[in-house]
Amino acid sequence: MQTKRTPSLLAAALVCALAFTTAISRADPLPSWNEGPAKKSIVEFVTKVTKPGSPDFVPAPERIATFDNDGTLWAEQPMYFQLIFTLDRVKALAPQHPEWKTKEPFASVLKGDLKDALAGGDKELIEMAMATHAGMTAEEFNKMAGDWLATARHPKTGRLYTDMVYPPMIELMAYLRANGFKTYIISAGGVEFMRVWATQVYGIPVEQVFGSVIKTKYEVRDGKPVLVRLPELHFVDNQGGKPVGIHEYIGRRPLLAVGNSDDDFEMLEWTTAGSGVRMGIYIHHTDAEREWAYDRESHIGKLNKGLDEAPSKGWTVVNMKNDWNTIFPAEKK
Amino acid sequence: MQTKRTPSLLAAALVCALAFTTAISRADPLPSWNEGPAKKSIVEFVTKVTKPGSPDFVPAPERIATFDNDGTLWAEQPMYFQLIFTLDRVKALAPQHPEWKTKEPFASVLKGDLKDALAGGDKELIEMAMATHAGMTAEEFNKMAGDWLATARHPKTGRLYTDMVYPPMIELMAYLRANGFKTYIISAGGVEFMRVWATQVYGIPVEQVFGSVIKTKYEVRDGKPVLVRLPELHFVDNQGGKPVGIHEYIGRRPLLAVGNSDDDFEMLEWTTAGSGVRMGIYIHHTDAEREWAYDRESHIGKLNKGLDEAPSKGWTVVNMKNDWNTIFPAEKK
């Protein structure tokens, strides 16, 4: 019985495998992207660098793609989500800090006057971040950030922050990985804040998520080793810091880099100055209806120099309104 | 013809596959290790954490193994090889620095008086490292280190430094990778010095090689972006800095950590304080004949506290003389 059946089983298996392969190769890997020059340039680039024998072929270990996070993989309006987390922490910690009632920027945050609270600029923002992100162990911070992300809601959309990620970008990262790329986050956001949720939401393992870093100290407390977060910045992964971070964390120049603001300019510049074909992509926030529209004059995610120089540098500018048929995922209730 | 042949071909393929699988599973993955308690504890540990259904099973993404480099993966006597590189650089750069003739520690190096040159301790060593490792672009440093490693010879063995790596450790790393582990270097040595050769010699991709880091600045020179090395340390990946570095670079606690000196104590401590089964390994230099024998009193790679505490912490101590039948690889002439 067995010997007679084998050939037909083999044939059937072959037909199945062929049908399956064809279905896979025909399926659109970027269904949330409308047909247009942006999608076309991405698919052409990936095809070029992955096709064996192509003059532009790049071996898999060198296929590195780096992504900014705020405004590139998830939204960033009306302010960085980690800043909203910081403000929530200030409110939660206020009872233990009576002095904050009269000390800026804390006093304005507690009075609900955000404009005054944020008027001091970076110095005061960093002071608040240090007051709320330091003084605990890494494990404690991790739990605190996880708890907040599981419950906090965006002031405008009412969504969980992890439901304000962009499906077109998640598709792009999956498409790249399916083509042998390693996908990395290179963000000015805090690395430990992102690592709490990035794997689940983006499919990127924690060891490929990098961002700004607070100083940490190793200590043995009651016989148990802990990493204590100190109120001091160790590394700011922004602007020129992004190529510096990429060099330290990855040690290879990316083949592809994606950002959305002038803070990503140097990352795109460093990436596309490499030898052979490289790709730089800017996500341009143009959809006031489904998301937000902002660029040259924005207080957050300012994109001015980048828009000026993208054409001469050969970077692809993605127009969110035209190029994406989906902005946010279906909500997980 | 085809249909008649298929069954016997299938049967033959099956027999071949089976024979091959058996051969593979029976082959000793650690042939440079003598049978004994060290080898046994390693194999038992790997079997335990990789066996599906075992109470100690660990999913592949969490199988992280970290290795010190100097004295653990390659030799470190009579001084760290990167220090020999530094001294060679001082000699090479001397013509451009007439002031070094009268300035310590440079003057002693140039006179060939190493004892005096190294007497100043860490501060003077760092001064020499900064004078020779900074002031150029990352690309230039990379080339300089590569050129040195391709030609410089060890003062005692006459070998290339990359021929002074330990095959038993290379086997151990390959064995771990074959069992789903990701292998990392976490060394006090300079990260860029190691990345020049680590992939070729150890099979570890550059993005899994971490060490001490010099400050680097992004600059555009004549329209070309470069990373300029500054004469200042950004991060010292040693002692308590090793768990800090692991946390920043990997974001996961290792399952297994290997070192050879008290400078690795915190890495082993942090690793084995994690939940579930973990493994800490010390390589003990006990072979004065084939390599060097040193521990509690050594000026380099001192292993004192580690030897005291290994038994109570359950760490495996590898006795190089007894546990390894090979110390260095056959030389590539």
Side-chain angles (χ1 to χ4, degrees), chain A residues 6 10 138 182 184 192 195 207 210 216 218 220 225 227 234 240 243-244 247-252 266 269 273, chain B residues 6 10 138 182 184 192 195 207 216 218 220 225 227 234 240 243-244 247-252 266 269-270 273:
Chain A
T6 312
L10 264 184
K182 268 176 105 167
Y184 282 85
E192 294 187 73
R195 281 179 176 169
E207 62 266 35
F210 293 106
T216 308
Y218 183 78
V220 179
L227 292 168
H234 172 58
V244 167
H247 188 67
E248 175 177 353
Y249 296 137
I250 312 177
R252 306 182 196 260
E266 290 84 355
E269 184 178 55
Chain B
T6 312
L10 263 186
K182 269 177 103 167
Y184 282 85
E192 295 186 71
R195 282 179 176 168
E207 62 267 34
T216 309
Y218 182 77
V220 178
L227 293 168
H234 173 58
V244 167
H247 188 66
E248 176 177 354
Y249 297 136
I250 313 177
R252 305 182 197 259
E266 290 83 355
E269 183 178 56
W270 172 246

Side-chain angles (χ1 to χ4, degrees), chain A residues 41-56:
Chain A
S41 70
I42 290 169
V43 173
E44 279 177 2
F45 174 80
V46 171
T47 306
K48 229 188 298 193
V49 298
T50 55
K51 194 178 171 182
S54 144
D56 300 316

